Amino acid sequence: MYMKEDKNNICLITNIGTHYRLPIFTKMAEEFSCSFFLGDKLDTEIKTFEYSNLPGFKKELTNIFFHNFYWQSGSVKLIFLPYKYYILDGEPYCLSSWIILLLAKLCGKETIAWTHGWYGRESVIKKVIKKVFYKLHSRLLIYSDYAIRLMEDVGIPSEKMFCIANSLDSYKEKGIRDTLQVTDIYQQHFHNESPTIIYCGRIQKRKKLEILIDCIEQLKAEGHRVNVIMVGEDVDNVNIEAYAEEHRVGGQVWMYGPCYDDNILAELFYNASVCVSPGNVGLTAIHSLSFGCPVITHGDFPYQMPEFEAIKPGVTGDFYERGSITDLKNKIKKWITISAPEREKTRMEAFKEIDTKWNIDYQINILKKVLSE
């Protein structure tokens, strides 16, 4: 059983404080009196939370980039402070992490990686580097069981790996979902009774959203009119609106724009037939299932994000053959034609999946288990 020791027993060092991690970090501060040292930026733009709002926040670290590698200025000296456990990102690209790991061995400190681990598409050189890097850690918190299985296959001991999964603001979201009901939000906007597909996330070229528009066009030709709402900012000048107009389905597409209000997003997800992410899917899957909406994404797992594991084919969503418009169209047709009782059953299965694994309490229990060992 995990016992809270002195107030300075855990030091968490991460490359940046992404906005979705504020709830889990706040809970960690409460449960473990954790101290947080957060990086100032990445080489790509990403939304962060206000660091001063995090209990236990100690200092913002400066990330210095060298092409694909970076160094966190001020992080190495933290190993000499009176912390027992050091939780790191588990990124081999972070050069300062290598120094921290070596010094931790000399100082008798415990190091824990919180990491994606293996993807399944690593080159031979990457496999060697990653294997050495992860073996230097005392324990590994891996986002998915899929990655753990791959790491076991290359000789990383299973007993040092724990599936930490991922979460959003699960306490808040569970409270919201208890108030949800079917509304006419899509009928009001589209002025029809057709089923609606939702995509929520940044609109990027790698998300392959044109494939979704192609599917809508083909479904229309087959007599299945489908609406699409896209919630998110176009950060790559994808210009899906123009693509939709070109393919004569512009009136079926609602470019909602960015939204970070869970009360609004909850209604959008709850009333949609299915969430579709033609490219990879990450936390969008957790967000969608948290509000009862099944998810479709591709099934080429080495090119997926760990949250794909929340999708149970035929239960909480489906996987389609990556790049196949026909297969994606058929999977969409399946979910837009289910009955109202079947749709309600899907909501319950989605809630069950989130409540079982993809939530803050699950992650805290895994952390307690790791620290107790």
Side-chain angles (χ1 to χ4, degrees):
M1 179 178 179
Y2 171 75
M3 299 290 290
K4 186 185 290 188
E5 300 176 14
D6 62 273
K7 65 179 181 179
N8 291 322
N9 63 334
I10 301 176
C11 172
L12 185 144
I13 305 170
T14 187
N15 56 8
I16 201 165
T18 51
H19 73 100
Y20 83 90
R21 299 187 86 177
L22 179 59
I24 180 62
F25 283 176
T26 300
K27 187 64 174 178
M28 288 173 63
E30 175 187 325
E31 292 282 340
F32 309 115
S33 298
C34 188
S35 295
F36 298 88
F37 296 84
L38 312 176
D40 61 343
K41 62 182 179 299
L42 293 180
D43 56 355
T44 56
E45 186 177 345
I46 193 164
K47 183 176 175 61
T48 60
F49 59 80
E50 177 57 52
Y51 290 176
S52 61
N53 291 336
L54 174 62
F57 169 66
K58 299 299 181 183
K59 186 179 180 181
E60 182 176 86
L61 303 175
T62 301
N63 295 338
I64 304 171
F65 291 88
F66 312 93
H67 300 291
N68 293 329
F69 301 92
Y70 69 99
W71 178 276
Q72 285 196 285
S73 180
S75 64
V76 172
K77 64 183 180 183
L78 299 177
I79 200 69
F80 300 110
L81 296 180
Y83 296 106
K84 180 177 180 180
Y85 305 101
Y86 288 80
I87 300 178
L88 309 172
D89 280 329
E91 286 192 345
Y93 292 108
C94 183
L95 301 178
S96 50
S97 288
W98 288 88
I99 306 302
I100 291 172
L101 289 169
L102 295 173
L103 290 174
K105 295 286 186 186
L106 296 174
C107 298
K109 305 289 186 79
E110 300 284 327
T111 51
I112 302 167
W114 192 333
T115 178
H116 286 261
W118 241 249
Y119 286 95
R121 60 177 190 264
E122 287 80 3
S123 64
V124 173
I125 293 176
K126 274 192 176 181
K127 284 181 180 179
V128 172
I129 293 172
K130 279 190 168 186
K131 187 173 180 179
V132 172
F133 184 71
Y134 291 135
K135 282 193 170 184
L136 287 172
H137 290 80
S138 309
R139 296 286 185 272
L140 302 171
L141 297 170
I142 310 296
Y143 282 109
S144 68
D145 286 308
Y146 164 80
I148 287 176
R149 291 191 293 271
L150 293 177
M151 294 168 79
E152 287 173 340
D153 289 343
V154 297
I156 296 176
S158 58
E159 60 270 16
K160 72 186 292 181
M161 294 187 285
F162 301 79
C163 181
I164 189 71
N166 212 349
S167 69
L168 294 168
D169 196 344
S170 49
Y171 298 136
K172 178 183 178 183
E173 289 158 356
K174 192 170 184 178
I176 292 173
R177 87 180 188 204
D178 292 339
T179 69
L180 289 173
Q181 57 186 352
V182 175
T183 68
D184 64 352
I185 185 169
Y186 294 126
Q187 290 89 332
Q188 288 289 329
H189 178 82
F190 290 106
H191 305 295
N192 62 51
E193 300 290 326
S194 302
T196 298
I197 296 168
I198 185 171
Y199 168 80
C200 184
R202 288 185 293 177
I203 296 173
Q204 301 168 288
K205 292 177 182 177
R206 63 187 177 91
K207 292 298 182 178
K208 307 297 182 183
L209 294 171
E210 295 87 355
I211 295 178
L212 177 54
I213 300 301
D214 294 337
C215 289
I216 303 313
E217 181 185 22
Q218 291 190 14
L219 285 166
K220 181 180 180 181
E222 295 175 8
H224 296 281
R225 183 182 175 90
V226 184
N227 303 318
V228 178
I229 179 172
M230 295 193 181
V231 184
E233 181 181 359
D234 187 344
V235 297
D236 275 354
N237 294 317
V238 178
N239 201 356
I240 283 294
E241 282 180 296
Y243 191 84
E245 289 291 345
E246 180 185 338
H247 288 259
R248 299 175 298 281
V249 292
Q252 296 168 238
V253 179
W254 181 6
M255 301 303 294
Y256 192 94
C259 178
Y260 298 98
D261 187 333
D262 265 343
N263 290 285
I264 295 173
L265 292 170
E267 182 182 14
L268 297 176
F269 276 121
Y270 192 82
N271 286 278
S273 296
V274 65
C275 173
V276 177
S277 183
N280 63 11
V281 71
L283 283 165
T284 294
I286 307 308
H287 219 166
S288 185
L289 295 175
S290 294
F291 297 127
C293 185
V295 182
I296 299 174
T297 189
H298 73 73
D300 192 357
F301 299 151
Y303 294 89
Q304 270 296 355
M305 301 300 283
E307 292 81 9
F308 81 84
E309 282 193 338
I311 301 171
K312 302 297 185 288
V315 180
T316 61
D318 264 310
F319 298 109
Y320 81 98
E321 182 183 347
R322 184 182 178 202
S324 172
I325 296 173
T326 300
D327 194 36
L328 178 56
K329 179 199 68 176
N330 290 335
K331 293 297 193 306
I332 290 173
K333 187 187 298 184
K334 167 185 170 181
W335 286 98
I336 64 173
T337 56
I338 64 174
S339 66
E342 289 174 320
R343 181 68 182 86
E344 183 60 25
K345 181 180 179 182
T346 297
R347 290 189 181 100
M348 296 303 106
E349 291 291 345
F351 296 155
K352 179 181 176 182
E353 178 66 26
I354 295 300
D355 292 347
T356 299
K357 184 174 182 179
W358 306 91
N359 60 79
I360 291 171
D361 286 338
Y362 173 87
Q363 292 185 293
I364 291 297
N365 287 333
I366 292 297
L367 284 165
K368 288 180 177 179
K369 183 178 180 181
V370 170
L371 296 173
S372 70
E373 295 189 4

